[in-house]
Amino acid sequence: MPDIRVAVDIGGTFTDLVAQDTATGQVIRAKADTTPGALEHGVLTALAQSGVAAGQVSAFIHGTTVVINTVTERTGARTGLVTTSGFRDVLEIGRGNRPDLYNLAYRKPEPFVPRHLRFEVTERMTYQGQVIEPLDVAGLEQAARQLAAGGVRAVAVCFLHAWANPAHEQQAAQILAARLPGVSVVASHWISGQWREYERTSTAVLSAYVRPVVAAYLGSLATALRDTGLAAPLYAMRSNGGVSSFEQAARVPIALLESGPVAGVAAAAELGRRIGARHVLTLDVGGTTAKTAAVRDGEIKVTTLHHIGKEPARAGYPVQSPTVEIVEIGAGGGSIAWADPAGGLHVGPQSAGADPGPACYGRGGTRPTVTDANLVAGRLNPGYFLGGAMKLDLAAAERALAELGSPLGVDAAGAARGVLRHAITRMSHALRLVTVRRGYDPRDFTFVAYGGAGPLHATLLARELGIRRTIIPAGPGHFSAFGMLTGPLRGEAVRTVIGPLDAIDLAAAFAPAEQAARAELGPQGQEATLLRYAELRYRGQEHTLEIPVSSFDLTRLQDAFAQRCLEAYSFRLDSPLEIVSVRVTATAPVAGEVHWGQPAPDQRAQDQSASRVVDLDPYDEPREVQVLGRDLVGADPVSGPCVIEEVAATTLVLPGQAVSADELGNLLIEEQS
């Protein structure tokens, strides 16, 4: 029987599927509409379109937007909180720093647990894990009765210093589970082994908030897949770039926060290693958002503190869960363009989504989007969207943009230019956040662009940032789903360890984290490969830098920290170092080797026009340019301007650039001067 691995990535507009036969390397791609009301329907539709029989599947890997959507749309379960006496209001107190410094009307984000559902229980641990006051069981049972009366479906338990000793949390979770049948109970130490009460409480609450929704969704999807006859192991993509079983994902759902986007970053990093690119800058533009990450020296940056919904004017909600460091903005193909009362043009963050979608989809949408602007600018072919499976309505796009442009004094074409310039500016700012703002020169990076709309904007962004080499991988519209096939089983554990570096037994400090990381992988954990990291700082500082730990040699570790501090802050000190936390990743391969260099077959009609008028703003006026199918681009460079079309993406090549293809099926776009 063929051994086929299947990966499915649910986006805001489309659900992408990539399947690969591990014996032959053959790649199958499918794309279906995302079905927001019942996401598993879109998954099953994509699986049916692929033609892969359920009995042929050896592994099913899934990336989902359920967690992030549940939090941002606030559609999770009614949740309660049980915490240490005196810490009921930690969620509202939060941090004192204000992101919008000069906004006198600024309000902190609203907690996910209202005050009347937050209960205090007498118990106390020291930061060293010693019991000061035992858990008041009677008080806990009284809280359980009040929680039941409040109609909660989930409860988070977060006690002071449970990161040092979780005994009281374990006891409380058992009691609450017994007293509240049918209610999901989450203890903070299941998710986070780090200090900082606000961040740990927020993490526990958000995980409890989404857990019933995620468990129900994964359960429904698993049942639907099993009903088709699929008996293969089911995996979910995690925010740290690895995968875990559906069961582990349902237990700690907050680890799926950036489930889909990180797969593309992992694939781009692997592609960089294969083509010899040390530094890779990624751009993933889908239907709802644009996402970017910087990979330096082949190392994907993982942060142990992530913020949901963080914007320049909003603090967002902290999550202590290892997450690939990604900047995400609401500027995708379906992002809606609008004008404020003062005549200012804006793009996003609202999206037309899959239903009704952009005006040009012809599904009842009337508001202009980035996709409509690209269509009016001639950069998209109305007869070859999704390989011709979907026809775009140019007249509807022109009407929507003309309505936008009317109060601004421009026609549809002028409005389209404005929308595209604004979208490029927003994407450029996001790219600068992961490079320039962190002390990196964008010109040192190879630019890898993917997603359905990434290749359409990549060359404009590359030229603006001074990047001379842009890569469009094979099957860019399905690249994140393809990245899920490359993701290993990955367990991760972070533990707070406070003290002078020279007074800490590093081997002993890492041991609990190593054990926890292996345990996440189950039986495969004992054979896993381990990577170790330590968060260090100069004594007296607040912020830390994470340093890889290849050995427990303190001198080498101190030298590595000094070099990293010099790169990040342009200084180094002679002060002694403190260790704050340790992080361990355990990885084991998912069966089957991933084959690269399998572009999607071209389905262009034989009579399709070989040229059309394209607006090349801001580098040229609208003019007739060559249009090529991707399979017609070979090793000999083709000079721009031109448009490269394929089934699920379109690539724009500007004047002064040239495009060719390499042996892996990548498009290489380079500046000629």
Side-chain angles (χ1 to χ4, degrees):
M1 293 293 291
D3 179 7
I4 299 178
R5 298 171 67 200
V6 174
V8 176
D9 177 29
I10 296 181
T13 305
F14 294 108
T15 295
D16 300 329
L17 179 145
V18 172
Q20 186 174 67
D21 188 321
T22 58
T24 65
Q26 179 189 5
V27 174
I28 300 167
R29 298 179 176 90
K31 190 180 285 279
D33 288 342
T34 293
T35 49
L39 294 173
E40 63 271 17
H41 292 171
V43 175
L44 294 178
T45 300
L47 188 60
Q49 286 182 5
S50 73
V52 176
Q56 297 177 305
V57 179
S58 60
F60 180 90
I61 306 166
H62 180 44
T64 176
T65 56
V66 168
V67 175
I68 188 67
N69 288 348
T70 299
V71 174
T72 55
E73 296 169 9
R74 301 185 80 97
T75 55
R78 185 174 176 83
T79 303
L81 171 66
V82 176
T83 189
T84 304
S85 180
F87 288 81
R88 181 184 186 186
D89 296 318
V90 161
L91 283 180
E92 286 187 278
I93 294 170
R95 293 289 170 192
N97 47 312
R98 292 162 51 131
D100 198 1
L101 187 61
Y102 298 105
N103 180 4
L104 299 180
Y106 175 76
R107 293 292 181 269
K108 291 182 178 181
E110 181 183 351
F112 279 82
V113 180
R115 196 169 194 272
H116 72 275
L117 292 178
R118 304 197 296 260
F119 298 94
E120 298 180 349
V121 174
T122 299
E123 69 83 38
R124 193 76 171 202
M125 292 279 184
T126 70
Y127 75 96
Q128 295 174 319
Q130 299 167 340
V131 178
I132 297 177
E133 291 186 82
L135 177 65
D136 179 4
V137 175
L140 180 64
E141 292 181 336
Q142 172 61 24
R145 288 190 289 271
Q146 292 175 284
L147 286 164
V152 300
R153 292 176 53 213
V155 176
V157 183
C158 187
F159 289 155
L160 184 67
H161 301 315
W163 57 270
N165 182 350
H168 285 175
E169 277 196 358
Q170 293 168 345
Q171 184 183 0
Q174 292 173 356
I175 293 172
L176 288 170
R179 299 292 186 272
L180 299 170
V183 173
S184 177
V185 178
V186 173
S188 74
H189 71 275
W190 295 354
I191 310 155
S192 172
Q194 296 175 262
W195 65 347
R196 303 193 186 280
E197 294 311 305
Y198 168 54
E199 287 79 4
R200 193 159 54 85
T201 304
S202 173
T203 303
V205 164
L206 288 172
S207 197
Y209 182 75
V210 301
R211 193 180 185 198
V213 175
V214 174
Y217 165 67
L218 291 178
S220 297
L221 178 59
T223 299
L225 291 171
R226 297 307 186 205
D227 287 346
T228 68
L230 192 151
L234 305 178
Y235 300 104
M237 192 77 193
R238 305 179 77 185
S239 301
N240 61 10
V243 301
S244 68
S245 66
F246 268 29
E247 293 76 16
Q248 175 69 11
R251 184 172 184 268
V252 188
I254 204 66
L256 306 182
L257 187 62
E258 295 289 352
S259 178
V262 301
V265 177
E270 176 61 25
L271 177 58
R273 285 189 285 271
R274 289 174 179 263
I275 64 175
R278 287 182 59 209
H279 309 317
V280 171
L281 181 61
T282 73
L283 176 71
D284 176 7
V285 185
T288 305
T289 60
K291 298 161 282 285
T292 180
V295 179
R296 285 183 53 82
D297 293 316
E299 184 81 12
I300 297 173
K301 174 65 175 172
V302 174
T303 177
T304 57
L305 180 63
H306 183 70
H307 286 78
I308 303 175
K310 186 174 183 179
E311 299 174 2
R314 297 184 72 249
Y317 300 92
V319 176
Q320 285 181 330
S321 179
T323 303
V324 173
E325 200 168 70
I326 292 177
V327 169
E328 184 171 354
I329 60 171
S335 295
I336 294 171
W338 53 283
D340 61 33
L345 185 63
H346 303 268
V347 174
Q350 300 88 358
S351 172
D355 185 15
C360 61
Y361 280 14
R363 297 175 177 172
T366 58
R367 303 184 68 183
T369 67
V370 173
T371 296
D372 294 305
N374 276 304
L375 180 62
V376 170
R379 298 175 186 180
L380 284 176
N381 184 343
Y384 193 67
F385 194 69
L386 299 183
M390 183 177 183
K391 306 299 182 183
L392 300 182
D393 188 339
L394 176 60
E398 289 175 335
R399 286 195 299 272
L401 284 160
E403 186 175 344
L404 172 68
S406 179
L408 306 179
V410 295
D411 60 9
R417 278 191 169 191
V419 169
L420 294 174
R421 286 188 183 187
H422 194 288
I424 289 295
T425 298
R426 292 198 63 201
M427 294 178 196
S428 174
H429 176 66
L431 292 165
R432 286 184 168 91
L433 287 178
V434 298
T435 54
V436 177
R437 286 283 293 271
R438 292 177 186 154
Y440 307 138
D441 189 336
R443 295 171 295 184
D444 295 336
F445 288 78
T446 295
F447 194 28
V448 178
Y450 49 94
L456 199 55
H457 304 93
T459 54
L460 293 158
L461 291 161
R463 180 166 288 181
E464 182 167 328
L465 294 172
I467 301 173
R468 300 192 62 83
R469 189 184 191 205
T470 299
I471 306 289
I472 310 299
H478 296 79
F479 194 63
S480 287
F482 181 78
M484 292 175 191
L485 297 179
T486 70
L489 282 170
R490 180 163 174 155
E492 197 125 19
V494 185
R495 295 291 183 268
T496 290
V497 180
I498 298 290
L501 180 61
D502 56 12
I504 294 289
D505 181 343
L506 285 177
F510 274 98
E514 293 172 3
Q515 183 179 0
R518 289 185 188 274
E520 286 195 4
L521 301 187
Q524 292 176 268
Q526 297 309 309
E527 305 298 324
T529 300
L530 298 183
L531 293 175
R532 302 174 182 86
Y533 304 86
E535 283 194 19
L536 305 176
R537 66 186 181 189
Y538 289 119
R539 189 173 299 171
Q541 285 188 327
E542 163 66 12
H543 298 289
T544 62
L545 291 171
E546 187 177 74
I547 306 299
V549 179
S550 56
S551 74
F552 297 141
D553 184 327
L554 293 186
T555 301
R556 292 180 61 183
L557 199 53
Q558 289 165 344
D559 290 344
F561 178 83
Q563 180 61 34
R564 182 69 187 94
C565 190
L566 194 63
E567 293 174 356
Y569 302 122
S570 300
F571 73 84
R572 55 191 297 175
L573 304 176
D574 294 327
S575 302
L577 296 183
E578 285 184 335
I579 186 169
V580 173
S581 70
V582 298
R583 178 168 67 91
V584 175
T585 66
T587 57
V590 175
E593 181 184 354
V594 175
H595 298 264
W596 287 73
Q598 293 284 336
D602 187 23
Q603 300 174 1
R604 290 161 56 88
Q606 294 299 314
D607 60 350
Q608 187 176 348
S609 172
S611 66
R612 67 171 177 267
V613 175
V614 175
D615 190 347
L616 300 169
D617 178 72
Y619 299 105
D620 205 343
E621 295 298 316
R623 55 183 276 198
E624 194 90 7
V625 305
Q626 185 180 16
V627 179
L628 297 170
R630 179 161 181 159
D631 61 331
L632 298 179
V633 180
D636 295 330
V638 176
S639 296
C642 62
V643 172
I644 313 296
E645 293 184 342
E646 57 186 300
V647 172
T650 298
T651 301
L652 175 67
V653 182
L654 298 174
Q657 296 175 336
V659 58
S660 60
D662 68 8
E663 64 277 5
L664 292 180
N666 302 306
L667 293 181
L668 311 180
I669 304 171
E670 297 180 304
E671 296 287 346
Q672 292 181 297
S673 60

mmCIF file of all heavy atoms in Angstrom, residues 467-486:
data_model
loop_
_atom_site.group_PDB
_atom_site.id
_atom_site.type_symbol
_atom_site.label_atom_id
_atom_site.label_comp_id
_atom_site.label_asym_id
_atom_site.label_seq_id
_atom_site.Cartn_x
_atom_site.Cartn_y
_atom_site.Cartn_z
ATOM 1 N N ILE A 467 16.580 44.184 -0.559
ATOM 2 C CA ILE A 467 16.919 42.763 -0.646
ATOM 3 C C ILE A 467 17.076 42.387 -2.114
ATOM 4 O O ILE A 467 16.193 42.637 -2.929
ATOM 5 C CB ILE A 467 15.825 41.898 0.012
ATOM 6 C CG1 ILE A 467 15.652 42.279 1.480
ATOM 7 C CG2 ILE A 467 16.145 40.417 -0.130
ATOM 8 C CD1 ILE A 467 14.478 41.598 2.157
ATOM 9 N N ARG A 468 18.181 41.757 -2.459
ATOM 10 C CA ARG A 468 18.474 41.499 -3.862
ATOM 11 C C ARG A 468 18.025 40.119 -4.342
ATOM 12 O O ARG A 468 17.961 39.877 -5.547
ATOM 13 C CB ARG A 468 19.979 41.661 -4.115
ATOM 14 C CG ARG A 468 20.502 43.057 -3.789
ATOM 15 C CD ARG A 468 21.906 43.246 -4.319
ATOM 16 N NE ARG A 468 21.983 43.125 -5.761
ATOM 17 C CZ ARG A 468 21.701 44.106 -6.624
ATOM 18 N NH1 ARG A 468 21.321 45.289 -6.170
ATOM 19 N NH2 ARG A 468 21.802 43.901 -7.931
ATOM 20 N N ARG A 469 17.716 39.217 -3.409
ATOM 21 C CA ARG A 469 17.374 37.849 -3.817
ATOM 22 C C ARG A 469 16.074 37.406 -3.157
ATOM 23 O O ARG A 469 15.958 37.395 -1.930
ATOM 24 C CB ARG A 469 18.502 36.896 -3.414
ATOM 25 C CG ARG A 469 18.366 35.490 -3.967
ATOM 26 C CD ARG A 469 19.477 34.629 -3.410
ATOM 27 N NE ARG A 469 19.572 33.340 -4.068
ATOM 28 C CZ ARG A 469 20.098 32.252 -3.515
ATOM 29 N NH1 ARG A 469 20.577 32.316 -2.285
ATOM 30 N NH2 ARG A 469 20.153 31.120 -4.167
ATOM 31 N N THR A 470 15.104 37.066 -3.990
ATOM 32 C CA THR A 470 13.796 36.616 -3.505
ATOM 33 C C THR A 470 13.534 35.209 -4.016
ATOM 34 O O THR A 470 13.774 34.914 -5.190
ATOM 35 C CB THR A 470 12.681 37.558 -3.988
ATOM 36 O OG1 THR A 470 12.915 38.873 -3.478
ATOM 37 C CG2 THR A 470 11.318 37.088 -3.518
ATOM 38 N N ILE A 471 13.029 34.351 -3.129
ATOM 39 C CA ILE A 471 12.722 32.969 -3.477
ATOM 40 C C ILE A 471 11.210 32.755 -3.388
ATOM 41 O O ILE A 471 10.591 33.074 -2.377
ATOM 42 C CB ILE A 471 13.413 31.977 -2.517
ATOM 43 C CG1 ILE A 471 14.916 32.239 -2.443
ATOM 44 C CG2 ILE A 471 13.102 30.536 -2.904
ATOM 45 C CD1 ILE A 471 15.673 31.870 -3.681
ATOM 46 N N ILE A 472 10.634 32.206 -4.440
ATOM 47 C CA ILE A 472 9.238 31.757 -4.409
ATOM 48 C C ILE A 472 9.289 30.234 -4.478
ATOM 49 O O ILE A 472 9.611 29.665 -5.523
ATOM 50 C CB ILE A 472 8.417 32.317 -5.590
ATOM 51 C CG1 ILE A 472 8.598 33.849 -5.719
ATOM 52 C CG2 ILE A 472 6.952 31.930 -5.419
ATOM 53 C CD1 ILE A 472 8.137 34.633 -4.512
ATOM 54 N N PRO A 473 9.017 29.546 -3.377
ATOM 55 C CA PRO A 473 9.167 28.085 -3.374
ATOM 56 C C PRO A 473 8.133 27.398 -4.243
ATOM 57 O O PRO A 473 7.125 27.991 -4.647
ATOM 58 C CB PRO A 473 8.983 27.726 -1.893
ATOM 59 C CG PRO A 473 8.140 28.829 -1.339
ATOM 60 C CD PRO A 473 8.543 30.066 -2.087
ATOM 61 N N ALA A 474 8.374 26.142 -4.524
ATOM 62 C CA ALA A 474 7.398 25.355 -5.273
ATOM 63 C C ALA A 474 6.096 25.271 -4.482
ATOM 64 O O ALA A 474 6.101 25.076 -3.272
ATOM 65 C CB ALA A 474 7.958 23.953 -5.526
ATOM 66 N N GLY A 475 4.986 25.440 -5.182
ATOM 67 C CA GLY A 475 3.678 25.382 -4.521
ATOM 68 C C GLY A 475 3.528 26.397 -3.413
ATOM 69 O O GLY A 475 3.162 26.030 -2.291
ATOM 70 N N PRO A 476 3.773 27.688 -3.660
ATOM 71 C CA PRO A 476 3.755 28.680 -2.573
ATOM 72 C C PRO A 476 2.401 28.809 -1.894
ATOM 73 O O PRO A 476 2.332 29.106 -0.697
ATOM 74 C CB PRO A 476 4.152 29.986 -3.273
ATOM 75 C CG PRO A 476 3.785 29.785 -4.710
ATOM 76 C CD PRO A 476 4.046 28.326 -4.970
ATOM 77 N N GLY A 477 1.324 28.573 -2.628
ATOM 78 C CA GLY A 477 0.001 28.678 -2.028
ATOM 79 C C GLY A 477 -0.290 27.594 -1.019
ATOM 80 O O GLY A 477 -1.245 27.693 -0.252
ATOM 81 N N HIS A 478 0.537 26.542 -0.998
ATOM 82 C CA HIS A 478 0.364 25.430 -0.065
ATOM 83 C C HIS A 478 1.608 25.234 0.806
ATOM 84 O O HIS A 478 1.783 24.187 1.427
ATOM 85 C CB HIS A 478 0.098 24.129 -0.834
ATOM 86 C CG HIS A 478 -1.174 24.119 -1.619
ATOM 87 N ND1 HIS A 478 -1.303 24.734 -2.845
ATOM 88 C CD2 HIS A 478 -2.388 23.572 -1.353
ATOM 89 C CE1 HIS A 478 -2.533 24.560 -3.298
ATOM 90 N NE2 HIS A 478 -3.214 23.855 -2.418
ATOM 91 N N PHE A 479 2.474 26.238 0.867
ATOM 92 C CA PHE A 479 3.788 26.048 1.486
ATOM 93 C C PHE A 479 3.694 25.793 2.988
ATOM 94 O O PHE A 479 4.446 24.994 3.540
ATOM 95 C CB PHE A 479 4.665 27.274 1.210
ATOM 96 C CG PHE A 479 6.123 27.058 1.516
ATOM 97 C CD1 PHE A 479 6.857 26.111 0.828
ATOM 98 C CD2 PHE A 479 6.764 27.811 2.482
ATOM 99 C CE1 PHE A 479 8.207 25.917 1.087
ATOM 100 C CE2 PHE A 479 8.105 27.630 2.758
ATOM 101 C CZ PHE A 479 8.835 26.676 2.056
ATOM 102 N N SER A 480 2.765 26.479 3.681
ATOM 103 C CA SER A 480 2.627 26.237 5.119
ATOM 104 C C SER A 480 2.159 24.810 5.386
ATOM 105 O O SER A 480 2.631 24.153 6.319
ATOM 106 C CB SER A 480 1.659 27.241 5.746
ATOM 107 O OG SER A 480 2.239 28.521 5.823
ATOM 108 N N ALA A 481 1.236 24.321 4.569
ATOM 109 C CA ALA A 481 0.800 22.937 4.723
ATOM 110 C C ALA A 481 1.953 21.984 4.444
ATOM 111 O O ALA A 481 2.139 20.983 5.156
ATOM 112 C CB ALA A 481 -0.377 22.646 3.794
ATOM 113 N N PHE A 482 2.760 22.290 3.430
ATOM 114 C CA PHE A 482 3.934 21.467 3.147
ATOM 115 C C PHE A 482 4.896 21.475 4.330
ATOM 116 O O PHE A 482 5.506 20.455 4.668
ATOM 117 C CB PHE A 482 4.637 21.965 1.884
ATOM 118 C CG PHE A 482 5.849 21.162 1.499
ATOM 119 C CD1 PHE A 482 5.698 19.937 0.866
ATOM 120 C CD2 PHE A 482 7.120 21.614 1.783
ATOM 121 C CE1 PHE A 482 6.813 19.184 0.518
ATOM 122 C CE2 PHE A 482 8.237 20.870 1.439
ATOM 123 C CZ PHE A 482 8.090 19.648 0.801
ATOM 124 N N GLY A 483 5.024 22.640 4.987
ATOM 125 C CA GLY A 483 5.908 22.737 6.144
ATOM 126 C C GLY A 483 5.505 21.814 7.276
ATOM 127 O O GLY A 483 6.347 21.390 8.073
ATOM 128 N N MET A 484 4.209 21.512 7.366
ATOM 129 C CA MET A 484 3.758 20.596 8.417
ATOM 130 C C MET A 484 4.315 19.196 8.214
ATOM 131 O O MET A 484 4.511 18.447 9.176
ATOM 132 C CB MET A 484 2.226 20.564 8.454
ATOM 133 C CG MET A 484 1.633 21.873 8.916
ATOM 134 S SD MET A 484 -0.168 21.891 8.826
ATOM 135 C CE MET A 484 -0.458 23.651 9.115
ATOM 136 N N LEU A 485 4.578 18.833 6.969
ATOM 137 C CA LEU A 485 5.173 17.532 6.706
ATOM 138 C C LEU A 485 6.610 17.468 7.202
ATOM 139 O O LEU A 485 7.120 16.387 7.493
ATOM 140 C CB LEU A 485 5.137 17.227 5.202
ATOM 141 C CG LEU A 485 3.767 17.116 4.542
ATOM 142 C CD1 LEU A 485 3.926 16.845 3.056
ATOM 143 C CD2 LEU A 485 2.927 16.032 5.196
ATOM 144 N N THR A 486 7.274 18.624 7.281
ATOM 145 C CA THR A 486 8.679 18.649 7.717
ATOM 146 C C THR A 486 8.816 18.725 9.231
ATOM 147 O O THR A 486 9.901 18.528 9.760
ATOM 148 C CB THR A 486 9.416 19.861 7.110
ATOM 149 O OG1 THR A 486 8.947 21.080 7.717
ATOM 150 C CG2 THR A 486 9.202 19.940 5.609
#
